[in-house]
Amino acid sequence: MNVILLGKPGSGKGTAGIEIAKDFNFKLISTGDLLRQEKSSGSTIGKQIESIMDRGDLVSDDIINDIIEQELSKPLPIDMYYLFDGYPRTISQARRLDEMLNISAVVYFDVDDATIAERIEQRGKKSGREDDQDSDTTKCRLENYYNDTQPVVDLYENSDRLYKVDASKSAISVYLQIKQLINKLNKEEEEEDNGIY
């Protein structure tokens, strides 16, 4: 069962993703981490990514899709599935992912913009990430989210694969909501495989 974590920047996807991947034996694919790795590599594409990310803009679909495809081409143990954090962010990416993999569930982190802005600022102070401490960059990220990613949320909701969690709550509460959901979906999948439905 391949799962996507979807939500606004700073909604808690990264924090929950690490724990969920560990507990359910998922391979966690975080586009933020992959992009930061490329950015720090000093490659030509890394320099391109750096200037885009520093402005708070989204990296092009082509670059992201290529990076994801590279990750998916790596061997995966037979009992392991993928957990995506930060991908897909656009309709084009969502369609491309559906061509590459079967996605069973999309977990949407539901949280308001004011909480997001506060969290990102706090995260920036703790981590020293300059882009997180710039309110204009955060505003730009949220605008990009509404323009590009909200339609992805709608797409998955229309295909009955979207499950919402209340991400305004504590990290442990969000984690427990997702854990309960994945256990429920796993049980339903097992029952379907055993012909109970």
Side-chain angles (χ1 to χ4, degrees):
M1 182 173 74
N2 300 304
V3 176
I4 294 168
L5 305 180
L6 198 58
K8 296 169 189 168
S11 57
K13 302 182 301 295
T15 305
I18 291 164
E19 295 304 316
I20 292 294
K22 209 165 39 181
D23 283 1
F24 288 93
N25 195 31
F26 280 111
K27 176 173 182 179
L28 179 63
I29 294 189
S30 161
T31 44
D33 289 347
L34 292 174
L35 289 169
R36 278 187 285 277
Q37 280 167 25
E38 196 66 48
K39 181 177 149 182
S40 62
S41 73
S43 68
T44 308
I45 198 162
K47 284 171 186 161
Q48 256 184 296
I49 290 167
E50 183 172 19
S51 66
I52 294 165
M53 285 174 78
D54 287 351
R55 289 195 307 268
D57 288 335
L58 291 175
V59 176
S60 77
D61 289 347
D62 288 343
I63 293 174
I64 296 280
N65 287 336
D66 286 350
I67 289 172
I68 293 295
E69 203 158 349
Q70 255 182 316
E71 279 300 302
L72 297 184
S73 69
K74 295 173 183 174
L76 194 69
I78 202 152
D79 60 341
M80 191 178 256
Y81 292 91
Y82 293 101
L83 180 68
F84 293 91
D85 164 21
Y87 181 87
R89 278 191 172 146
T90 66
I91 289 283
S92 164
Q93 289 175 17
R95 291 195 172 126
R96 183 72 192 97
L97 183 58
D98 271 338
E99 287 169 11
M100 293 189 275
L101 271 185
N102 177 33
I103 300 298
S104 304
V106 180
V107 180
Y108 176 66
F109 287 59
D110 198 9
V111 61
D112 65 78
D113 291 358
T115 305
I116 291 293
E118 194 181 312
R119 279 186 187 172
I120 290 177
E121 191 184 341
Q122 291 304 317
R123 184 175 76 182
K125 284 175 183 169
K126 280 182 192 167
S127 69
R129 273 174 59 179
E130 285 178 29
D131 56 330
D132 278 351
Q133 293 176 61
D134 184 345
S135 60
D136 287 339
T137 302
T138 298
K139 194 178 167 193
C140 182
R141 282 180 184 163
L142 284 169
E143 279 171 14
N144 284 329
Y145 168 83
Y146 283 112
N147 291 332
D148 298 317
T149 310
Q150 187 59 47
V152 177
V153 176
D154 299 337
L155 175 80
Y156 286 126
E157 193 158 29
N158 292 335
S159 68
D160 292 330
R161 287 182 281 176
L162 192 82
Y163 301 87
K164 291 183 182 179
V165 295
D166 182 354
S168 66
K169 300 205 179 296
S170 67
I172 187 70
S173 168
V174 173
Y175 164 76
L176 290 171
Q177 289 176 70
I178 300 168
K179 187 176 178 181
Q180 190 177 16
L181 170 66
I182 291 174
N183 281 329
K184 178 177 170 276
L185 293 173
N186 275 334
K187 191 177 174 207
E188 284 172 7
E189 212 167 75
E190 279 171 26
E191 286 173 352
E192 204 170 316
D193 289 346
N194 294 329
I196 293 171
Y197 284 126

